[in-house]
């Protein structure tokens, strides 16, 4: 009996049987392997040392890497593979994944897949890792992006590097693939039109034909929107029920999908586990550290189809997922909250002003760090380089005064890639304001346009830089935004919030409009010869919840009107507040008059109403304040006065005094004292919230 074929050999044979096209790339590898062998005899180098493959998601890079491994092993080469999806982007992790496999006597063929995830290490890979390999090693790198400019800037690398952009399959290769898969020839033209030769799309269409037969492909498409619609019809039709279909759409929209998310967003109850298991088994769904996520191409197709097909349903899904993510962020601890905020920012990925800053949220959150003593000089050096000596001196000053208001954004090797500073202006001293014109200008603006009340905070994003890109798009910019939103979600007692970091007003205006920060030109300031523009937001009008709703609408491309005067929180001074309490007592039995009281838009009434009827909430608060007089034996007489004056009023105040057996002057003194006590109780609630 002959030796049985191993499972690995069977998989290799099946993979090679289905592989079509890419003959030029395969021959290129064979040529390099042959050249390396010849180099051992002649001393001449192979035609290139590094083959760099790049192309969009789903174009077949990983499959080609599999075939390269088979070809190299068939040629007797020793293959060493790294899949960057399984390796954190640090030098130590890469070296640990390689182990001692590069140290063997025979030269390796090193295959690196999903290289876009290792882009933070690209310079190190090029300048240190690869140059440490044996002279006759061969390296193949596959990723979504072409090699950086520094590869081509070095003449030596230009000689040793070969760059290949992977395209979709040609019509002949597409027909060959369909023949291998046993698809009826009469479907070839239709499938070619649907897929345009995109390998992953072809694979999904073949799966649809196998499940539903030749009727699975019912239309010939002329452009991409039709391709998206028809292709997604096949995928979604495979869902066993409308609830499964909704789960698939939710998984495409959220950054990661868990049973908890499905339970909350779809109101799935006990079915959430079954839905999660079904998603987990789909061929285009992968598992990540925080849940499931679909292949990028499938995610984009599902997203585009739902937006085009059902805009109302798309908006509802966005709001439900966003609300759940916000709730999870509010409940999360400090460490987990950053990940939840990254989930929230992911939902803004298609919003034009934000899209270029947030391409990836699955990496780097752990690189937001407090400033350490060794970080100060790199911070000051990048500030001097990008913004000048005067700004660097102010950064140094505030690092001494408010070190907890700074964060650094670390690179892959924990170096300082960028930093940001948010100042607590309500804690600034006169000396601080004399030292920093920016802090002085922003706090003065707050005092003019809505002074903070006792206990309220004034924050200012005063500093931000990336070491390499300054204020331009960078990993640091994305991390700074995650830190900012994390701070917003966890805020307590904020009044004003300023962003006075940037110099280019027009570049940043769309982003500031998205986050609802308006221009505050009175707060602009000069540091040396540089003019910094300031944007401002008063968190008391609108509050956090309304802000979240408004930014959600902008993410959907919906128009947002200015905050409605009857829904925005009103900021009253203490005398204005006291007058409004007195008016509310007087109008307690006049619903129309009470409905116009400014306290209806105060913080304590909004918190008490929780979205319900504000007039009833105000009346309840007044009664609760009055009841505190009854509860205090020393003030019991005051309760009787208030009861006969406001709660169960006598026809006149003179009659109230008679009923209480008080002279009218004594009655008025007790009445005024009682009203003062009620005002004090409600003012404390306005400033500090309910007593625990």
């Amino acid at each position: 009996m002959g030796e049985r074929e191993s499972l690995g050999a069977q998989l290799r044979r099946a993979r090679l049987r289905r592989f079509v096209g890419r003959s030029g790339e395969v021959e290129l590898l064979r040529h390099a392997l042959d050249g390396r062998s010849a180099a051992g005899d002649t001393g001449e180098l192979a035609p290139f040392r590094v083959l760099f493959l790049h192309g969009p998601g789903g174009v077949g890079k990983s499959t080609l890497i599999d075939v390269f491994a088979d070809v190299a092993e068939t040629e007797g080469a020793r293959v060493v593979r790294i899949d960057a999806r399984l390796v954190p982007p640090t030098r130590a992790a890469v070296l640990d994944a390689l182990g001692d496999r590069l140290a063997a006597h025979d030269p390796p063929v090193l295959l690196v897949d999903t290289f876009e995830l290792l882009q933070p290490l690209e310079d190190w890979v090029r300048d240190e890792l690869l140059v440490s390999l044996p002279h006759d090693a061969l390296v193949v790198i596959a990723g979504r992006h072409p090699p950086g400019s520094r590869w081509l800037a070095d003449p030596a690398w230009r000689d040793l590097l070969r760059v290949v952009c992977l395209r979709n399959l040609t019509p002949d290769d597409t027909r060959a693939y369909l023949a291998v898969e046993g698809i009826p020839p009469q479907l070839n033209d239709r499938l070619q039109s649907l897929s345009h030769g995109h390998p992953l799309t072809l694979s999904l269409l073949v799966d649809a034909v196998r499940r539903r037969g030749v009727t699975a492909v019912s239309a010939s498409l002329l452009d991409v929107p039709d391709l998206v619609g028809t292709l997604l019809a096949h995928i979604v039709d495979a869902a066993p029920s409308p609830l499964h279909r909704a789960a698939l759409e939710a998984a495409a929209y959220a950054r990661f999908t868990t049973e908890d998310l499905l339970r909350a967003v779809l109101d799935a109850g006990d079915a959430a586990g079954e839905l999660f298991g079904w998603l987990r088994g789909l061929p285009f769904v992968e598992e990540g550290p925080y849940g499931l996520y679909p292949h990028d191409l499938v995610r984009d197709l599902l997203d585009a189809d739902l937006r085009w097909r059902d805009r109302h349903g798309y908006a509802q899904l966005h709001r439900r997922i966003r609300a759940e993510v916000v709730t999870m962020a509010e409940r999360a601890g400090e460490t987990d909250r950053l990940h939840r905020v990254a989930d929230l920012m992911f939902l803004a990925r298609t919003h034009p002003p934000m899209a270029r800053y947030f391409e990836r949220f699955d990496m780097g959150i752990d690189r937001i760090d407090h400033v350490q003593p060794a970080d100060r000089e790199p911070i000051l050096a990048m500030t001097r380089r990008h913004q000048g000596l005067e700004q660097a001196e102010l950064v140094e000053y505030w690092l001494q005064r408010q070190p907890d208001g700074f964060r650094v954004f670390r690179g892959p090797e924990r170096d300082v890639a960028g930093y940001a500073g948010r100042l607590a202006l309500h804690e600034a001293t006169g000396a601080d304001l004399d030292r920093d014109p920016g802090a002085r200008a922003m706090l003065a603006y707050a005092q003019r346009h809505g002074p903070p009340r006792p206990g309220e905070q004034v924050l200012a994003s005063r500093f931000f830089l990336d070491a390499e890109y300054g204020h331009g798009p960078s990993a640091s910019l994305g991390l700074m935004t995650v830190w900012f939103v994390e701070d917003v979600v966890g805020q307590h007692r904020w009044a004003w919030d300023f962003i006075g970091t940037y110099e280019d007003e027009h570049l940043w205006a769309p982003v500031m409009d998205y986050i609802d920060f308006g221009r505050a030109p009175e707060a602009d300031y000069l540091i040396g010869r540089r003019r910094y523009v300031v944007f401002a937001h008063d968190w008391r009008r609108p509050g956090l919840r309304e802000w979240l709703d408004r930014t959600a609408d902008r993410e959907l491309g919906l128009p947002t009107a200015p905050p409605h005067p009857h829904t925005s929180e009103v900021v009253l001074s203490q005398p204005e507040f006291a007058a409004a309490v007195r008016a509310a007592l007087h109008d307690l039995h006049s619903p129309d008059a009470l409905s116009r009281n400014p306290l209806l838009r105060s913080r304590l009434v909004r918190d008490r109403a929780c979205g319900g009827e504000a007039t009833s909430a105000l009346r309840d608060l007044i009664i609760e304040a009055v009841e505190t007089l009854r509860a205090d034996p020393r003030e019991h007489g005051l309760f009787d006065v208030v009861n006969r004056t406001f709660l169960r009023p006598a026809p006149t105040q003179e009659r109230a005094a008679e009923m209480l057996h008080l002279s009218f002057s004594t009655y008025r003194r007790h009445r005024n004292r009682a009203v003062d006590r009620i005002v004090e109780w409600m003012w404390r609630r306005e400033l500090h919230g309910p007593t625990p």
Side-chain angles (χ1 to χ4, degrees):
M1 180 181 294
E3 184 177 348
R4 290 186 176 181
E5 186 178 39
S6 68
L7 178 59
Q10 293 178 33
L11 290 172
R12 174 184 297 179
R13 185 160 50 81
R15 188 163 55 237
L16 291 176
R17 183 177 64 83
R18 283 177 166 79
F19 181 75
V20 299
R22 312 301 187 202
S23 57
E25 289 82 1
V26 173
E27 285 305 311
L28 197 59
L29 178 71
R30 294 186 188 278
H31 184 50
L33 291 169
D34 292 342
R36 188 175 69 161
S37 300
D41 299 328
T42 65
E44 297 178 0
L45 291 175
F48 56 85
R49 298 281 302 285
V50 176
L51 176 59
F52 203 119
L53 307 173
H54 68 92
V59 80
K61 299 181 297 294
S62 296
T63 301
L64 187 56
I65 286 290
D66 289 339
V67 172
F68 276 7
D70 289 329
V71 170
E73 288 172 354
T74 301
E75 295 289 334
R78 183 170 57 88
V79 174
V80 177
R81 296 186 63 166
I82 289 183
D83 187 341
R85 290 172 295 187
L86 308 177
V87 181
T90 66
R91 300 182 190 183
V94 171
L95 293 174
D96 184 61
L98 291 171
D100 59 359
R101 291 183 292 167
L102 298 179
H105 179 69
D106 51 326
V109 173
L110 175 61
L111 305 177
V112 183
D113 196 12
T114 329
F115 186 68
E116 66 270 12
L117 299 184
L118 293 181
Q119 279 197 312
L121 298 179
E122 186 170 2
D123 289 349
W124 172 75
V125 169
R126 181 190 60 250
D127 298 333
E128 296 186 38
L129 178 63
L130 297 187
V131 300
S132 70
L133 299 178
H135 77 282
D136 49 356
L138 180 62
V139 179
V140 179
I141 296 174
R144 293 193 174 187
H145 310 297
S149 59
R150 294 182 181 178
W151 290 86
L152 303 179
D154 186 335
W157 271 118
R158 284 203 300 268
D159 294 337
L160 298 178
L161 176 70
R162 184 68 61 87
V163 180
V164 174
C165 177
L166 290 185
R167 306 291 185 183
N168 288 353
L169 298 176
T170 66
D172 287 343
D173 289 336
T174 299
R175 284 190 288 271
Y177 173 77
L178 295 174
V180 168
E181 294 290 353
I183 300 300
Q186 63 267 29
L187 294 180
N188 284 357
D189 290 343
R190 204 173 295 172
L191 290 174
Q192 169 64 34
S193 176
L194 283 167
S195 68
H196 292 270
H198 186 273
L200 179 60
T201 304
L202 270 174
S203 177
L204 293 173
L205 288 171
V206 166
D207 180 64
V209 171
R210 284 179 171 167
R211 287 185 289 104
R212 298 173 50 195
V214 296
T215 59
V217 189
S218 58
S220 176
L221 305 176
L222 300 177
D223 51 28
V224 172
D226 288 339
L227 169 62
V228 170
T230 302
L231 177 59
L232 263 297
H234 301 316
I235 299 173
V236 175
D237 283 349
S241 73
L243 189 59
H244 287 77
R245 173 174 174 164
L248 183 60
E249 291 167 346
Y253 202 79
R255 177 176 174 237
F256 292 107
T257 298
T258 62
E259 285 189 31
D260 288 340
L261 184 77
L262 295 174
R263 190 175 294 111
V265 171
L266 304 180
D267 195 21
D270 294 339
E274 190 273 329
L275 293 171
F276 184 84
W278 175 75
L279 287 171
R280 196 174 194 174
L282 295 176
F284 47 81
V285 172
E286 301 182 34
E287 299 180 19
Y290 303 105
L292 303 177
Y293 63 97
H295 188 282
D296 288 347
L297 175 65
V298 176
R299 185 195 291 279
D300 292 344
L301 290 170
L302 286 162
D303 183 274
D305 176 71
L306 182 60
R307 184 190 289 261
W308 169 79
R309 177 173 47 81
D310 183 3
R311 293 192 68 84
H312 176 73
Y314 184 88
Q316 289 294 101
L317 178 65
H318 175 86
R319 291 192 176 99
R320 287 176 185 148
I321 292 178
R322 200 176 193 274
E324 177 62 17
V325 170
V326 168
T327 299
M328 290 190 292
E330 290 174 332
R331 295 174 179 172
E334 182 177 353
T335 301
D336 190 48
R337 184 180 293 152
L338 285 171
H339 292 286
R340 298 306 180 189
V341 169
D343 294 342
L344 179 62
M345 298 307 302
F346 183 82
L347 302 180
R349 65 191 183 278
T350 61
H351 187 55
M354 308 299 287
R356 62 176 176 154
Y357 302 132
F358 306 111
E359 292 181 358
R360 289 171 57 224
F361 282 103
D362 57 341
M363 288 174 52
I365 304 303
D366 61 335
R367 300 208 299 267
I368 301 174
D369 195 9
H370 291 270
V371 177
Q372 305 301 320
D375 300 330
R376 291 176 179 259
E377 182 49 40
I379 289 173
L380 298 178
M382 74 176 75
T383 307
R384 287 191 293 267
R385 184 168 66 255
H386 287 286
Q387 296 181 308
L389 179 61
E390 295 92 341
Q391 182 81 332
E393 290 174 345
L394 286 170
V395 171
E396 186 173 22
Y397 176 83
W398 284 110
L399 278 169
Q400 293 289 337
R401 292 287 295 123
Q402 295 188 10
D404 290 341
F406 284 79
R407 295 292 185 275
V408 291
F409 311 119
R410 301 200 180 279
E413 300 305 312
R414 310 301 294 174
D415 53 316
V416 179
Y419 79 95
R422 279 175 60 74
L423 305 181
L425 296 184
H426 56 283
E427 297 178 358
T429 65
D432 294 333
L433 301 179
D434 289 340
R435 181 68 181 83
D436 184 357
R440 182 173 64 247
M442 288 183 275
L443 189 58
Y445 183 95
Q447 296 290 353
R448 285 194 299 271
H449 293 274
R453 296 166 297 192
E456 291 183 334
Q457 302 174 9
V458 180
L459 282 299
S461 294
R462 175 68 177 81
F463 307 105
F464 165 72
L465 275 179
D466 178 82
E468 184 173 357
Y469 299 104
H471 287 157
S474 63
S476 296
L477 182 60
L479 294 173
M480 182 273 292
T481 307
V482 171
W483 175 48
F484 168 78
V485 176
E486 188 253 351
D487 205 23
V488 168
V489 171
Q491 66 167 282
H492 299 285
R493 306 294 299 158
W494 284 11
W496 285 96
D497 198 356
F498 294 93
I499 298 177
T501 305
Y502 308 113
E503 300 172 63
D504 191 331
E505 173 183 349
H506 299 293
L507 176 65
W508 290 97
V511 176
M512 297 301 152
D513 180 67
Y514 162 67
I515 63 174
D516 216 34
F517 274 61
R519 273 288 282 124
E522 297 171 51
D524 291 354
Y525 58 93
L526 289 172
I527 301 297
R529 296 183 177 180
R530 296 175 180 269
R531 175 177 174 269
Y532 293 86
V533 296
V534 176
F535 300 83
H537 181 88
D538 187 343
W539 287 105
R540 301 165 296 187
R541 43 189 178 197
L544 176 60
R545 279 292 170 181
E546 188 174 348
W547 179 81
L548 288 167
D549 290 342
R550 288 166 63 79
T551 53
D553 287 343
R554 290 190 173 107
E555 289 164 6
L556 291 167
L558 301 176
T560 55
H564 195 280
H566 297 300
T567 61
S568 299
E569 184 176 311
V570 67
V571 182
L572 298 173
S573 65
Q574 198 281 336
E576 293 170 330
F577 186 91
V581 173
R582 292 186 174 94
L585 284 165
H586 181 271
D587 299 331
L588 202 60
H589 300 286
S590 302
D592 288 345
L594 195 63
S595 68
R596 295 189 293 271
N597 192 289
L599 290 177
L600 296 181
R601 291 183 283 128
S602 65
R603 176 173 294 178
L604 85 163
V605 173
R606 287 163 65 96
D607 289 348
R608 181 63 169 260
C610 294
E613 212 277 313
T615 304
S616 297
L618 175 57
R619 186 180 294 110
D620 291 344
L621 281 165
I622 292 288
I623 294 172
E624 186 177 343
V626 171
E627 288 293 333
T628 64
L629 300 177
R630 193 211 299 261
D632 188 342
R634 297 168 299 177
E635 308 287 14
H636 189 74
L638 300 185
F639 171 80
D640 292 337
V641 170
V642 173
N643 184 40
R644 279 303 177 186
T645 306
F646 301 113
L647 299 187
R648 294 188 300 147
T652 65
Q653 293 195 9
E654 289 80 0
R655 178 63 180 143
E658 291 177 10
M659 295 174 67
L660 295 170
H661 307 290
L662 298 172
S663 68
F664 190 64
S665 61
T666 301
Y667 163 81
R668 287 193 303 176
R669 187 171 64 253
H670 285 9
R671 180 201 63 195
N672 294 344
R673 183 181 171 193
V675 170
D676 288 343
R677 294 289 186 275
I678 292 170
V679 169
E680 290 172 6
W681 183 88
M682 294 188 70
W683 182 244
R684 285 196 302 271
R685 289 284 292 263
E686 170 74 359
L687 294 182
H688 307 296
T691 302

